[in-house]
Amino acid sequence: MEPVTKTETLDIEGMTCASCASFVEKALSRTPGVQRAMVNFATEKATIDYLPTQATPATLREAVVSSGYGVVERAPDTSAAERSAELDRQKAAAYQKLKRRFWVAAGLAVIIMPLSMLMLWPALLAHVNMQWLNYGLLLLTLPVLLYSGREFYTSAWNGFRHRAANMDTLIAVGTGAAFLYSLAATVVPGFFTSRGLMPEVYYDTTATIIALILLGKVLEMMAKTQTSAAIKALMGLQAKTARVVRPDGQEVDVLIEHVQLGDLVVVRPGEKVATDGILQEGRSAVDEAMLTGESLPVEKVAGDPVFGATLNKTGSFRFRVTKVGTDTMLAQIVKLVEEAQGSRAPIQRLADKVSAIFVPTVLVIAILTFVLWFDLAPVATRLPLALVNFVAVLIIACPCALGLATPTAIMVSTGKGAEHGVLIRSAEALEKAYQVTTVLLDKTGTITRGEPAVTDFVILNQDARRVLQVVAAMERQSEHPLAEAVVRYADAQEVSNLSASGFRAIEGKGAAATVEGQTVLIGNQRLLSEAGIPLSPELTTQAGMLLRGAKTVLYIAIDGQAVGVVGVADTIRDTSAAAIKRLQAMGIEVVMMTGDNPQTAAQVAAQVGISRYFAEVLPQDKAGKVKELQAEGRTVAMVGDGINDAPALAQADIGLAIGAGTDVAMEAAGITLMRSDLHGVVTAIELSKQTIRTIRQNLFFAFIYNTLGIPIAAGLLYPVFGWLLSPMLAAGAMALSSVSVLTNSLRLRAFHPHQAA
Amino acid sequence: MDAAEILVTLGGSGLAAFVLWYFFLSARRTASAVSASGGLQEVDITVKGGYSPDVIEVERGKPVQLRFYRDEENSCSEELLIPDFRIRRDLPAFKTTLVELLPQQAGRFEFTCGMSMLRGTLVVK
């Protein structure tokens, strides 16, 4: 077999030149167990492939240090939070600047507008020198152009140099044309009057368009910050410090970055769990809603995993750190959501294609609009009409709304999913989930809890509590899953502890022991019959009933007398039936798949209201069952929790890994449900439906707006109704378009998962 | 048709043709700015109204570090998307943002701004 290598990355300190790097590289390569070492001088990182049987991260560090360089202890990645804080600061500053630019433009536009409309009052106009008025307007417009609107022009120019045209190109060309025309009319009015034209100016158009576009940007920025609010909130949940118990028993508060694997950490009631680990001492109820969406606190005892960022409610406990930094559950969730937000939904492809050719196409349409108006309009008004329509086409055609339609909806809904314990791995998965017609559920661990539990404890003619005490004392010695089920049952009944002696497991049959002088046997029927212990007719009846209910039956004998039977079964989760009912109500067929015999399968299916099921499915055949359903023309969502479900999860149109499923299952699934609860499936599908609905609305608005807006702005309605679109109205509509798409996406924040009563 | 109309028609048609040629048909500057050290392929990209270079050739199977320097404050370029690698990153103005990825398959992978107006291509060979 190929030896398994591991890869370690170290941050190297103290390298001053490329030869230092090769020196460190050699030192590492010579270390026993190292297969390959690469040192990058520029990034100051060493990447080492090594055999974990022969080398450890510690020996690799030693090799670097002994070669004369240092290894920077890699801080667990809190830098993500810091980076985001830095970004926030930058964005806040940019927002302030944008607002200033908007207010300057708006303030000046408010003065420019009435001054431009003096011609509406001829009496007033008689007292004003037009020439001077135009110069005055020019002076007022210049700051709007050079301060408020400067970014549009530089951006358009930068884009032009890259042969890329963006929305700024349209605004720059539109407002630029209106301004230059006005400038000419102001400076050389004689050129116009000599050709029978009024030297009209459009300073109000220029200023108002810039002010309105900036208003749109201000609103857009406000809304955009909210689309990523969920992920920010998640990142902000991490604890800042941890109370670590030193080897001498002293408790010290340390920064979370300095917590190391294996540290013992104390958590008091009301405190956040600092990082991931295993509970060592104490017990408590922990609120894990932030990670799983589960609203009820989860009981934790020694041996249970605890997760960073969850909230300790009742008791105090200590846990051993098993994961820090980017390995923690919280960091993984954040990473998953970020990755999903970076992916592209197939529904977006059309919008993408349109965006890519949009601006140059609009430029051409605007030019043609200008030419046609110039050629067809009456000579006296042809230039102003051509100009106004040219500007209107450019301004209304902003593809912002198109570009924002899909990503903003995906951002909000993936964040929303994480809030409810539904981790969507890609936009594609989100888009696929709404098409699901059939949900295939793996029985064990999905519909059921996946572990045996005592369902019936029937004792005849004896003190049942006393028998349970005796049986539990004996079963505590056993490691058999059925014995564990009995012990859990006894613990839940809070029976007192007795001591057992002479425990022996009887392979394939059960176990025997002596408890307080009594001989106890517990196991299957063969165990009792081989010991020559007869069953009373009553016990036989009871056992028969349990067997018919597809339960495993354990028989108990004390001092050579059969006293009772225990029914053990993998119990159905409390929420399964309701969730399945909800899925069916949504018009989705629910199918069950299990390795159990048809009798047990039928029993479970009936209990949760499933009419179609596959029984005796071998693990390797699970993917085949998915294919079978797909061959029937169904879009299949597969829900499973184990490694053996991975091929089926991958084969399905959409795979949902449930609960703290294995990493393999999570890798193969498009969606991970943090909570072991089928309601997550309902939530995922409902969220997908709402998201797709939102995206469709967004795309519809964006396309309609542009496809209708451009011809109207070009003056297509003028010959029929005499309608022309004022460039200022176009600017207002444009500002509203992207804001309305964003607002529509933000409505997804109100999504609330359906909870069965 | 008077002289002005002929002039405007000719001028407009010429301009429209120029726009189409300039943005769609003219040859793109293909450049790969890769410097490899220690197996890492490093690419410096300036973001200013577009990506330069905007076509980047890298080798398959070796880690790639894209260093985006955003040389402007314009909000158009504030977000970077590489959907095939599931990457969405904010690019702070006048700062270098490192984006690391491992291309496993050959092909052309597009990277764009948040609204997919600015475009570049990562060509994996």
Side-chain angles (χ1 to χ4, degrees):
Chain A
M1 214 176 94
E2 192 84 356
V4 183
T5 58
K6 282 182 96 172
T7 306
E8 175 79 17
T9 309
L10 299 177
D11 293 334
I12 312 291
E13 205 172 35
M15 296 191 293
T16 52
C17 60
S19 62
C20 298
S22 69
F23 189 68
V24 175
E25 202 169 279
K26 271 191 202 123
L28 280 167
S29 303
R30 279 200 298 265
T31 310
V34 170
Q35 305 259 333
R36 201 170 64 120
M38 277 183 339
V39 178
N40 184 335
F41 171 57
T43 56
E44 301 189 313
K45 274 188 195 334
T47 312
I48 308 121
D49 295 341
Y50 65 99
L51 295 169
T53 46
Q54 293 177 41
T56 63
T59 57
L60 300 176
R61 270 158 220 264
E62 247 167 59
V64 176
V65 173
S66 61
S67 69
Y69 299 90
V71 176
V72 187
E73 283 298 327
R74 244 201 308 172
D77 199 14
T78 47
S79 63
E82 271 166 33
R83 212 175 54 215
S84 117
E86 168 62 27
L87 269 173
D88 283 349
R89 271 194 296 279
Q90 263 213 357
K91 280 190 174 168
Y95 180 55
Q96 287 308 323
K97 205 167 156 186
L98 184 66
K99 272 206 304 199
R100 258 201 318 273
R101 285 167 54 206
F102 162 68
W103 283 117
V104 169
L108 289 168
V110 164
I111 306 169
I112 294 166
M113 280 278 261
L115 287 178
S116 307
M117 289 175 184
L118 284 184
M119 64 281 278
L120 296 179
W121 294 277
L124 205 60
L125 201 61
H127 301 282
V128 181
N129 178 333
M130 275 306 283
Q131 187 78 10
W132 285 109
L133 178 65
N134 284 354
Y135 272 109
L137 288 171
L138 170 64
L139 278 180
L140 287 168
T141 309
L142 274 176
V144 180
L145 217 68
L146 299 179
Y147 172 71
S148 300
R150 186 162 162 260
E151 193 183 82
F152 300 132
Y153 306 104
T154 52
S155 162
W157 174 243
N158 289 331
F160 184 77
R161 286 180 19 196
H162 282 93
R163 294 170 195 252
N166 53 40
M167 62 164 286
D168 292 339
T169 312
L170 300 177
I171 296 157
V173 174
T175 56
F179 178 77
L180 290 177
Y181 181 89
S182 311
L183 187 68
T186 308
V187 180
V188 283
F191 177 83
F192 293 82
T193 45
S194 65
R195 283 163 180 77
L197 287 171
M198 275 288 287
E200 275 183 77
V201 293
Y202 296 95
Y203 293 119
D204 55 339
T205 308
T206 311
T208 313
I209 289 174
I210 290 175
L212 282 171
I213 304 276
L214 287 173
L215 172 66
K217 283 207 164 201
V218 169
L219 296 175
E220 188 183 305
M221 215 160 177
M222 265 165 66
K224 257 179 154 177
T225 52
Q226 292 172 48
T227 58
S228 56
I231 186 106
K232 272 217 188 81
L234 263 181
M235 269 163 41
L237 285 175
Q238 203 193 23
K240 303 278 179 290
T241 60
R243 187 164 301 128
V244 173
V245 185
R246 287 275 160 80
D248 59 11
Q250 201 190 343
E251 292 178 12
V252 279
D253 280 332
V254 300
L255 286 175
I256 191 74
E257 300 93 275
H258 299 143
V259 174
Q260 303 207 337
L261 294 182
D263 278 352
L264 195 62
V265 176
V266 185
V267 188
R268 300 198 179 131
E271 283 181 347
K272 263 184 200 170
V273 179
T275 185
D276 294 6
I278 302 285
L279 199 146
Q280 299 283 317
E281 300 169 43
R283 60 188 299 160
S284 182
V286 177
D287 178 2
E288 295 186 337
M290 54 296 287
L291 298 186
T292 64
E294 168 67 64
S295 52
L296 295 175
V298 184
E299 282 295 328
K300 298 277 181 184
V301 294
D304 283 344
V306 289
F307 302 103
T310 58
L311 192 65
N312 180 26
K313 301 293 260 194
T314 50
S316 177
F317 63 86
R318 291 172 172 208
F319 72 95
R320 186 75 65 191
V321 175
T322 56
K323 280 172 182 169
V324 292
T326 50
D327 295 330
T328 61
M329 179 82 92
L330 178 71
Q332 294 293 324
I333 292 176
V334 169
K335 187 168 157 259
L336 270 177
V337 176
E338 277 180 345
E339 278 183 7
Q341 294 182 339
S343 68
R344 185 152 280 177
I347 196 171
Q348 201 181 344
R349 279 195 201 120
L350 179 63
D352 275 354
K353 283 200 181 116
V354 174
S355 302
I357 56 161
F358 198 82
V359 174
T361 309
V362 169
L363 281 174
V364 170
I365 294 175
I367 293 167
L368 296 180
T369 303
F370 185 93
V371 170
L372 282 173
W373 275 101
F374 193 87
D375 288 353
L376 301 176
V379 175
T381 51
R382 65 184 180 183
L383 192 54
L385 277 175
L387 182 77
V388 165
N389 291 315
F390 171 78
V391 176
V393 168
L394 290 174
I395 300 301
I396 196 136
C398 169
C400 268
L402 207 55
L404 291 170
T406 314
T408 51
I410 302 276
M411 296 270 278
V412 179
S413 78
T414 45
K416 199 71 200 174
E419 208 175 286
H420 293 289
V422 176
L423 291 186
I424 297 152
R425 288 176 64 96
S426 70
E428 199 174 349
L430 187 64
E431 192 178 327
K432 205 80 201 179
Y434 90 98
Q435 298 167 325
V436 165
T437 55
T438 302
V439 171
L440 180 59
L441 302 173
D442 178 54
K443 191 207 86 180
T444 310
T446 304
I447 299 176
T448 64
R449 286 176 212 276
E451 55 178 28
V454 172
T455 54
D456 304 81
F457 193 78
V458 187
I459 303 301
L460 299 175
N461 314 319
Q462 298 262 343
D463 176 1
R465 203 171 166 80
R466 164 76 190 166
V467 173
L468 181 59
Q469 238 173 4
V470 170
V471 169
M474 169 178 154
E475 294 286 55
R476 268 182 226 283
Q477 314 265 333
S478 170
E479 278 169 2
H480 196 278
L482 292 177
E484 282 174 20
V486 174
V487 172
R488 270 199 304 275
Y489 179 74
D491 284 346
Q493 310 284 320
E494 295 183 340
V495 295
S496 54
N497 278 341
L498 299 178
S499 64
S501 61
F503 174 86
R504 79 202 150 86
I506 305 160
E507 193 69 34
K509 290 168 207 160
T514 309
V515 180
E516 302 213 319
Q518 292 181 299
T519 350
V520 188
L521 285 179
I522 181 162
N524 56 21
Q525 204 177 353
R526 241 174 86 198
L527 180 76
L528 264 66
S529 63
E530 281 176 14
I533 301 168
L535 286 181
S536 66
E538 260 182 302
L539 268 186
T540 312
T541 317
Q542 291 288 348
M545 271 164 59
L546 295 177
L547 284 170
R548 274 193 298 283
K551 287 169 185 167
T552 306
V553 180
L554 296 175
Y555 297 83
I556 305 166
I558 296 179
D559 284 339
Q561 193 197 342
V563 296
V565 287
V566 184
V568 181
D570 183 4
T571 51
I572 291 167
R573 292 187 202 280
D574 305 332
T575 52
S576 294
I580 288 165
K581 201 171 159 198
R582 176 72 194 150
L583 284 171
Q584 287 164 339
M586 286 160 76
I588 293 167
E589 184 180 18
V590 183
V591 181
M592 186 183 86
M593 168 160 78
T594 174
D596 289 346
N597 57 57
Q599 197 195 358
T600 310
Q603 186 79 29
V604 174
Q607 281 184 54
V608 292
I610 291 177
S611 52
R612 186 176 178 190
Y613 57 87
F614 302 117
E616 289 177 339
V617 182
L618 297 172
Q620 62 268 32
D621 297 337
K622 286 183 171 178
K625 291 293 170 198
V626 175
K627 273 189 202 154
E628 230 171 82
L629 289 170
Q630 284 170 329
E632 292 173 21
R634 298 158 184 275
T635 305
V636 180
M638 161 79 198
V639 188
D641 73 326
I643 292 175
N644 60 29
D645 292 326
L649 288 170
Q651 170 65 38
D653 296 288
I654 172 98
L656 294 102
I658 199 165
T662 57
D663 290 348
V664 183
M666 279 171 68
E667 278 298 318
I671 294 177
T672 301
L673 308 175
M674 299 299 294
R675 196 167 11 143
S676 302
D677 176 346
L678 284 180
H679 277 304
V681 181
V682 180
T683 305
I685 294 176
E686 282 182 342
L687 184 61
S688 162
K689 283 192 173 178
Q690 281 212 23
T691 309
I692 294 301
R693 200 178 308 141
T694 304
I695 290 175
R696 284 194 181 141
Q697 288 162 353
N698 284 352
L699 287 175
F700 174 78
F701 282 131
F703 273 116
I704 273 290
Y705 164 83
N706 277 318
T707 44
L708 287 184
I710 294 176
I712 294 174
L716 213 65
L717 296 180
Y718 184 76
V720 192
F721 302 106
W723 290 352
L724 280 180
L725 189 67
S726 139
M728 285 181 264
L729 268 182
M734 209 227 87
L736 283 178
S737 74
S738 50
V739 174
S740 61
V741 160
L742 267 163
T743 314
N744 196 37
S745 291
L746 285 175
R747 285 198 312 136
L748 278 170
R749 294 177 72 191
F751 172 84
H752 211 76
H754 175 95
Q755 289 294 354
Chain B
M1 229 181 208
D2 64 16
E5 281 169 4
I6 292 168
L7 215 65
V8 165
T9 309
L10 286 179
S13 311
L15 203 58
F18 170 77
V19 168
L20 291 176
W21 169 80
Y22 188 79
F23 288 110
F24 295 138
L25 302 172
S26 67
R28 298 254 153 188
R29 281 161 302 162
T30 306
S32 50
V34 177
S35 62
S37 73
L40 188 75
Q41 309 180 77
E42 295 166 350
V43 187
D44 288 301
I45 301 161
T46 307
V47 186
K48 193 175 184 183
Y51 304 105
S52 30
D54 60 357
V55 179
I56 292 142
E57 287 181 357
V58 294
E59 275 180 67
R60 185 165 65 124
K62 288 184 187 167
V64 175
Q65 190 180 63
L66 303 173
R67 305 148 163 268
F68 285 91
Y69 178 70
R70 181 160 158 241
D71 194 16
E72 64 178 354
E73 272 189 309
N74 187 302
S75 60
C76 268
S77 58
E78 72 187 355
E79 248 183 350
L80 170 79
L81 265 170
I82 318 178
D84 294 298
F85 293 90
R86 293 186 175 179
I87 290 168
R88 174 186 292 273
R89 239 3 111 65
D90 282 310
L91 304 180
F94 310 115
K95 288 222 167 88
T96 302
T97 305
L98 301 183
V99 176
E100 275 154 0
L101 47 90
L102 183 63
Q104 305 273 29
Q105 283 174 330
R108 296 175 71 85
F109 305 100
E110 204 165 58
F111 54 92
T112 67
C113 70
M115 286 190 204
S116 73
M117 300 298 298
L118 313 181
R119 281 151 188 272
T121 313
L122 188 69
V123 181
V124 180
K125 293 200 158 174

